[in-house]
Amino acid sequence: MTNKAVLLANLGSPDNTDTASVRRYLNQFLMDPHVIQLPWLLRRMIVSLFVLPTRPKASAEAYKSVWMDEGSPLIVLSERLKNALQTQLDMPVAMAMRYGKPSIETELLALSQQAGIEEVLYIPLYPHFADSTVTTSIEEAERVIKEHNLNIKLNVVAPFYDQPDYINALVNSAQPYLEQAYDHIVFSYHGLPESHITKRDPTGQHCLQSADCCQRPSEAHKTCYRHQVMRTTQCFVEQAQIAPEKYSVSFQSRLGRAKWLAPNTEDRLRELAQSGVKKVLVICPAFVTDCLETLEEIAIRADEVFKEAGGGELQLIPCLNDHPAWVNTLGAWCEAKEG
């Protein structure tokens, strides 16, 4: 009998598409100090006075446009991934969400009650480092273990943005779309405020200080989201043999008035349409699972933006989800850790 288990962790989703459910989810998400990096009182004022009065209703409508018969796309597709991975492994596999259900706390407690489990291989499903994804997920798992005095060792898988197996899976999953005729492919990554990047720069003088900062070697790259997404793109286009003029990088999901990473995806799509691009592919490698940000923000809203600007067809390349190449990659990682 194995003494190890696997816990996959993703971001999370509302329980339902009603406004009250979305409000609860947004409140939990936005009050995380790693998401809005401001003192508690200021964060509480912004969320309560400027976000929760109006955003939950609009977000609820967005969720309704992509909700599946079984529930939230993120939850449903994550469960499919978990089930597929379980067929490859002889150790228990669980799935948790940082916000909403099933919670990291619930899943860790359940694993701790299984006889003989002494170590949990913890895989935050984020290819790139950010405090608002990776750090908060790890800290929550550590909090649960400490608060409940669980006799469990947490073995965390680091961001895998340029791991060859991950790049292979990403290119493999996108191959059917790349084989079609297209004019341009946009690598659209979830955005971050620039302050999140510079705050994490251990040198204090590298990140966002020059146009080529992501290309110049630096210890800052270990925790630099922008460098890591650029590296993922570079690895992808080299393996898929995509010419420099055929692709570009942009950032989506901008929120609030702070300065965010640029260019914005919708702005880039307008530029492409106005330059004569008729068919564009969009891939979102920051997400391993399709969710609101891909299915609604890109496949619906960004598609409308592209067409209104004169573009023709926008094709969203699905996330890895439970693609066999991705399941095999995760399985190999878990077995390597098992050994």
Side-chain angles (χ1 to χ4, degrees):
M1 178 182 294
T2 181
N3 66 345
K4 298 181 181 180
V6 176
L7 180 57
L8 307 173
N10 217 322
L11 190 73
S13 174
D15 295 332
N16 215 316
T17 59
D18 61 279
T19 302
S21 295
V22 175
R23 181 178 289 109
R24 284 194 300 272
Y25 170 75
L26 288 177
N27 183 66
Q28 183 188 13
F29 171 54
L30 295 174
M31 282 305 295
D32 185 334
H34 289 300
V35 175
I36 297 181
Q37 297 183 355
L38 293 171
W40 183 90
L41 182 58
L42 185 54
R43 187 167 69 251
R44 182 73 271 172
M45 291 176 61
I46 290 172
V47 173
S48 295
L49 297 178
F50 300 103
V51 179
L52 295 183
T54 57
R55 190 173 178 87
K57 184 177 180 180
S59 294
E61 291 303 314
Y63 276 108
K64 288 176 184 177
S65 69
V66 299
W67 210 253
M68 303 169 72
D69 290 341
E70 307 98 308
S72 160
L74 178 64
I75 304 296
V76 172
L77 296 170
S78 295
E79 284 294 316
R80 291 179 187 173
L81 173 62
K82 179 196 78 173
N83 294 337
L85 183 58
Q86 184 65 84
T87 64
Q88 293 200 2
L89 300 175
D90 292 328
M91 64 185 90
V93 179
M95 170 67 73
M97 299 291 152
R98 175 62 184 89
Y99 313 104
K101 302 173 184 175
S103 69
I104 293 171
E105 184 166 30
T106 298
E107 296 305 306
L108 274 176
L109 288 174
L111 287 173
S112 71
Q113 293 168 7
Q114 295 191 35
I117 299 299
E118 299 174 355
E119 180 179 333
V120 171
L121 178 60
Y122 190 56
I123 310 180
L125 291 173
Y126 312 109
H128 315 93
F129 177 86
D131 281 327
S132 55
T133 52
V134 174
T135 301
T136 187
S137 293
I138 294 172
E139 287 188 358
E140 175 63 8
E142 292 174 341
R143 179 197 69 80
V144 171
I145 291 172
K146 181 178 180 180
E147 186 171 303
H148 295 277
N149 196 28
L150 303 182
N151 188 24
I152 286 179
K153 176 186 175 183
L154 203 65
N155 187 356
V156 181
V157 171
F160 41 87
Y161 60 96
D162 64 351
Q163 288 294 310
D165 288 349
Y166 161 69
I167 298 298
N168 286 338
L170 197 60
V171 173
N172 190 304
S173 69
Q175 200 61 48
Y177 300 88
L178 298 174
E179 291 173 353
Q180 301 173 13
Y182 68 92
D183 298 320
H184 197 87
I185 178 170
V186 175
F187 290 78
S188 179
Y189 293 91
H190 197 288
L192 276 184
E194 289 190 355
S195 60
H196 286 212
I197 305 293
T198 54
K199 177 183 177 181
R200 266 295 185 169
D201 180 358
T203 72
Q205 54 188 6
H206 180 82
C207 291
L208 304 180
Q209 296 300 305
S210 65
D212 66 342
C213 60
C214 289
Q215 285 71 50
R216 290 188 291 107
S218 173
E219 61 178 308
H221 293 170
K222 294 178 182 178
T223 53
C224 179
Y225 178 81
R226 188 176 185 273
H227 162 77
Q228 293 181 8
V229 303
M230 295 302 182
R231 178 64 181 154
T232 295
T233 306
Q234 179 186 12
C235 292
F236 185 104
V237 299
E238 288 178 356
Q239 182 162 325
Q241 297 184 325
I242 300 174
E245 68 273 10
K246 290 274 284 186
Y247 75 91
S248 54
V249 174
S250 63
F251 299 90
Q252 62 184 91
S253 309
R254 190 165 51 194
L255 174 67
R257 298 180 180 179
K259 188 176 182 181
W260 283 54
L261 293 175
N264 176 260
T265 295
E266 291 189 358
D267 293 340
R268 182 64 185 128
L269 289 170
R270 289 188 186 96
E271 292 172 357
L272 288 169
Q274 292 164 3
S275 71
V277 168
K278 291 302 179 184
K279 181 170 182 180
V280 65
L281 303 179
V282 181
I283 187 169
C284 304
F287 307 94
V288 300
T289 310
D290 276 306
C291 53
L292 185 74
E293 284 80 1
T294 63
L295 300 175
E296 192 274 338
E297 188 174 349
I298 298 299
I300 297 177
R301 279 194 283 145
D303 178 65
E304 293 173 353
V305 167
F306 182 61
K307 289 176 179 174
E308 287 174 359
E313 178 185 356
L314 183 152
Q315 174 70 64
L316 171 68
I317 298 176
C319 292
L320 289 165
N321 296 321
D322 60 346
H323 190 282
W326 177 227
V327 177
N328 291 339
T329 293
L330 286 173
W333 290 350
C334 294
E335 288 172 350
K337 294 290 185 179
E338 172 76 0

